[in-house]
Amino acid sequence: MIEFETDVFVERRWRLAHGRDLALGARGVLMGVLNVTPDSFSDGGQLTSVELAVERGRAMAAEGAAILDIGGESTRPGGDPVDAATEQGRVLPAMRGMLDALPETILSVDTYRADTAAKAVEAGAHIVNDVWGLQREPDIANVAASTGAGLCIMHTGREREKLADVIADQFAFLETSLEIAARAGVGDAQIVLDPGFGFAKDARENFAVMARFEALHKLGYPLLVGTSRKRFIGHATGREAADRDIGTSATTALLRAAGAAVFRVHNVAVNRDAMAIADAMIAERNDITG
């Protein structure tokens, strides 16, 4: 394990839209997954109305989710693409319903489309979560810059040649994304990075990113991870997607100890407990070394 170049467990403020911010670093933060889609890999078709989405959001917030991430297009391998109008028809009513029901909860829109991001922030979203790392529609960076939205920039290996070394590929891709953000005028305090577990990575590559996770802190931004129910967990445990929450919680504890700040999960309660154990250990370690 390498030495952290900065103390990743010291509080930093993540600047968000609508005058909001969120403390990162000192304690882990949970982001609940709310897919208002018919075909997401483990929860597609479950939230078929705004009322059902709000009910799920209430439950996740009660279990400890500080952020709810609302997506209207499945990003699973082989998922059917939808047009912007369809995506917005799913996401925007859910976003407005969630804002009315849970005004204190931070809302995130899971989209790579600049137009959807702009309309979602107008509807109340505080964060834009782009699984293409600003490289599918770079204008999404301008949306974040103009609205002050928090911006999650995710690494992906899809539709390009990857470098052989997983960490070198992370740096090559994310540094390009960060250049796009800087040119648009996105502030550093708005940015969180995501190594993109499961996005054009096989099981070995995912576990290699986990094993070398501390190296990503050299990029200088808080890190968000989305391991929840991913295929590489099934590779290790032999379990199908719906039964991977315990395996997910193991990755949450390990990656929290390695300095991850935000955890995007389907099952908030089990990951809350895993994260609490990691946070207790981190606090004790800091007392000993401090």
Side-chain angles (χ1 to χ4, degrees):
M1 184 177 294
I2 67 171
E3 295 277 336
F4 293 141
E5 296 192 352
T6 58
D7 190 343
V8 297
F9 301 113
V10 169
E11 182 177 302
R12 302 168 68 172
R13 306 302 297 190
W14 189 9
R15 302 299 179 187
L16 313 176
H18 310 298
R20 300 289 296 273
D21 63 25
L22 192 61
L24 302 181
R27 301 189 67 82
V29 172
L30 291 168
M31 171 188 274
V33 178
L34 273 171
N35 287 318
V36 285
T37 58
D39 58 343
S40 290
F41 78 99
S42 77
D43 59 354
Q46 294 181 9
L47 306 180
T48 54
S49 69
V50 171
E51 292 74 20
L52 287 173
V54 169
E55 182 180 346
R56 177 71 62 82
R58 286 186 190 276
M60 286 182 163
E63 290 171 349
I67 308 167
L68 298 176
D69 189 42
I70 302 171
E73 179 176 353
S74 175
T75 56
R76 66 180 175 84
D80 294 328
V82 300
D83 60 23
T86 300
E87 179 188 41
Q88 292 166 20
R90 295 169 178 173
V91 166
L92 298 181
M95 190 71 65
R96 296 186 186 102
M98 216 69 65
L99 184 67
D100 289 341
L102 297 161
E104 298 305 312
T105 301
I106 300 295
L107 301 178
S108 169
V109 60
D110 181 358
T111 186
Y112 60 85
R113 291 187 176 92
D115 186 55
T116 299
K119 289 177 179 175
V121 174
E122 183 180 3
H126 306 94
I127 296 166
V128 175
N129 179 17
D130 181 4
V131 299
W132 285 92
L134 317 182
Q135 295 187 42
R136 174 63 71 89
E137 290 195 15
D139 194 46
I140 202 167
N142 294 318
V143 173
S146 63
T147 63
L151 183 61
C152 180
I153 299 172
M154 198 194 80
H155 173 280
T156 184
R158 292 180 179 175
E159 299 183 13
R160 65 182 183 84
E161 288 291 324
K162 297 185 296 182
L163 300 178
D165 181 85
V166 293
I167 299 301
D169 194 70
Q170 290 277 331
F171 275 75
F173 183 89
L174 291 172
E175 286 175 347
T176 297
S177 296
L178 288 167
E179 289 172 4
I180 295 169
R183 286 197 299 270
V186 180
D188 285 345
Q190 293 173 250
I191 295 172
V192 163
L193 302 180
D194 179 349
F197 286 100
F199 280 75
K201 300 172 184 68
D202 62 25
R204 183 197 63 79
E205 290 169 321
N206 283 297
F207 285 115
V209 173
M210 282 189 65
R212 299 170 62 191
F213 190 80
E214 293 92 339
L216 300 178
H217 294 301
K218 292 181 180 179
L219 287 160
Y221 295 88
L223 298 173
L224 179 152
V225 294
T227 61
S228 188
R229 300 180 180 173
K230 294 287 176 69
R231 188 176 301 174
F232 78 100
I233 294 174
H235 178 86
T237 63
R239 296 189 180 277
E240 296 300 317
D243 295 320
R244 294 173 187 163
D245 290 331
I246 295 173
T248 299
S249 71
T251 68
T252 293
L254 290 166
L255 290 168
R256 177 60 187 146
V262 185
F263 300 82
R264 184 180 183 274
V265 299
H266 297 84
N267 186 321
V268 173
V270 70
N271 285 282
R272 177 198 62 207
D273 288 357
M275 192 173 66
I277 297 297
D279 275 335
M281 183 201 71
I282 290 162
E284 180 64 20
R285 182 172 64 193
N286 288 346
D287 283 344
I288 291 169
T289 59

